[in-house]
Amino acid sequence: MLRYTIKRLVMVPILLLLVALLIFVLLNLSESDPVIMMLPAEYTQEDYDAMQRKFGLDRPLIVQYFNWVGKAFTGDLGISYKSKGPVADDVFFRIPISLQLAGVTTLIMVVIGIPLGVMCAVRQYTWFDGIVNVLAKLVGSIPGFWLGLMLILTFSVKLGWFPTFGTGTARHWVLPVFTLLLPYLANYIRQVRSAMLDCIRQDYIRTARSKGAREYIVIFRDALKNALLPIITLTGGIFASMIGGAVMIEKVFAIPGVGYKIVEAINNRDMPTLLACTMVLAVFTIVVQLIIDLAYALVDPRIRGSFAGKKKSTYKRQMTEKQGVG
């Protein structure tokens, strides 16, 4: 298990370098010239050349990439084309805000989605299952930005219950979390239901019932435990996508997170800021995938056994070779 963890950790910087290279190349394929955007309406060729040298844009693309990578390892993510200030100062303080929005939403989704998905699977084709599935499909088809605007119009403008923007108090988070939650929750319930149905139909569940075990023990000890692997994968993937997928939600509610900064950087053609924000999202995605893989081993003893088996077989082979030599 330790060797597997170390191997995955070694792969993280390699993946980040490849992601950075891909993003760097794609961003520089744009036809817009960032130097012209930073210069005033009237400029000379000398002004243009000086601005190019200042930001290192007069060098070949591959040289720019390695210069950016070298500075990124020291925490220097470049200078913003828009604000002319360090990108790191403008991006890092937004990370906890996006993590808080995604984390709270994911927690509520798990607390509501797993019980509802399990109940729908246990009561398959009943009126409860039908109502939940219809509501899930209906809510899942609503665009998030439209839902957010309707919630602002109803609960902020007309009723005055919640603020329309910002993150100052707990009341500021109610509408953004609710807007981000509903589409993901609808899909989450259906996926949990599907994973539970696959386990409930297995032979070991029928065997447990035939031995006289209570129904709630069969469902939560046997079925749900074996359905956790796809649920863990789904939960981790949703959490990672929420961090970057909340772009429109952060824009609608003026939440100063990473997603809001991405929209701002795209509108301003601010390539260093856009590259830094994208790399932040890539880091979180890779870290979440690593946590998911490690959670597999904690939940499923067969995976732990496979690592132990590999280690044991390697030791046995080494001992056999030593005895053969002797």
Side-chain angles (χ1 to χ4, degrees):
M1 185 65 185
L2 180 60
R3 292 174 60 189
Y4 173 76
T5 304
I6 295 175
K7 182 179 178 181
R8 292 300 307 271
L9 289 174
V10 170
M11 290 297 296
V12 169
I14 298 176
L15 290 173
L16 289 178
L17 288 174
L18 294 176
V19 171
L21 177 60
L22 178 62
I23 296 172
F24 197 88
V25 172
L26 292 177
L27 291 179
N28 282 275
L29 290 178
S30 174
E31 296 181 356
S32 59
D33 191 342
V35 177
I36 296 178
M37 297 182 62
M38 290 184 287
L39 291 172
E42 297 182 359
Y43 64 91
T44 63
Q45 185 63 39
E46 288 76 11
D47 297 333
Y48 183 91
D49 295 338
M51 188 67 71
Q52 264 195 330
R53 288 191 299 270
K54 179 180 179 180
F55 288 94
L57 299 176
D58 57 333
R59 300 176 181 179
L61 185 61
I62 190 65
V63 176
Q64 296 180 38
Y65 168 73
F66 281 110
N67 287 340
W68 184 88
V69 170
K71 293 180 180 178
F73 277 111
T74 65
D76 183 5
L77 299 178
I79 303 298
S80 171
Y81 293 164
K82 178 66 177 179
S83 64
K84 305 300 189 298
V87 172
D89 296 343
D90 199 18
V91 172
F92 286 161
F93 86 93
R94 300 174 183 270
I95 296 176
I97 299 175
S98 293
L99 287 177
Q100 183 177 352
L101 177 61
V104 172
T105 306
T106 304
L107 179 61
I108 297 175
M109 180 189 68
V110 171
V111 171
I112 298 175
I114 291 182
L116 284 180
V118 171
M119 292 175 65
C120 288
V122 173
R123 302 180 181 181
Q124 187 183 16
Y125 301 136
T126 62
W127 63 269
F128 178 83
D129 183 34
I131 292 176
V132 172
N133 272 282
V134 170
L135 290 177
K137 292 177 181 178
L138 178 63
V139 173
S141 62
I142 299 176
F145 69 91
W146 181 86
L147 178 62
L149 293 175
M150 293 300 103
L151 292 177
I152 291 175
L153 181 63
T154 303
F155 295 100
S156 297
V157 177
K158 291 186 177 181
L159 299 178
W161 291 356
F162 303 105
T164 58
F165 63 91
T167 58
T169 63
R171 294 173 64 245
H172 287 83
W173 291 97
V174 174
L175 294 185
V177 168
F178 193 74
T179 305
L180 184 61
L181 171 67
L182 285 184
Y184 285 105
L185 179 62
N187 180 61
Y188 192 76
I189 293 173
R190 287 182 287 160
Q191 295 294 333
V192 172
R193 175 182 180 272
S194 177
M196 282 295 298
L197 285 175
D198 290 339
C199 293
I200 289 175
R201 294 166 180 167
Q202 299 298 320
D203 292 336
Y204 65 87
I205 297 295
R206 287 191 289 268
T207 303
R209 285 171 173 165
S210 65
K211 291 181 178 180
R214 295 183 179 182
E215 184 66 15
Y216 74 89
I217 295 179
V218 174
I219 296 300
F220 289 99
R221 185 193 64 185
D222 299 323
L224 182 58
K225 185 177 180 180
N226 286 279
L228 280 180
L229 288 183
I231 293 176
I232 289 174
T233 304
L234 179 65
T235 305
I238 289 177
F239 174 72
S241 65
M242 279 184 181
I243 299 176
V247 173
M248 294 308 301
I249 305 302
E250 292 182 0
K251 187 66 176 178
V252 169
F253 292 95
I255 298 175
V258 178
Y260 184 90
K261 193 62 181 178
I262 288 177
V263 176
E264 188 178 273
I266 292 174
N267 293 333
N268 296 323
R269 303 296 191 274
D270 193 349
M271 298 305 177
T273 302
L274 184 57
L275 178 60
C277 292
T278 310
M279 287 303 302
V280 167
L281 300 182
V283 169
F284 282 116
T285 302
I286 294 173
V287 171
V288 168
Q289 293 299 323
L290 175 61
I291 294 174
I292 290 174
D293 291 341
L294 297 179
Y296 281 170
L298 296 177
V299 173
D300 194 340
R302 294 172 298 180
I303 299 179
R304 293 198 301 270
S306 65
F307 291 114
K310 291 179 180 178
K311 187 175 181 180
K312 185 176 180 180
S313 62
T314 302
Y315 174 76
K316 185 182 294 185
R317 186 176 65 253
Q318 292 174 350
M319 293 301 297
T320 304
E321 292 175 354
K322 289 181 179 179
Q323 291 175 2
V325 173

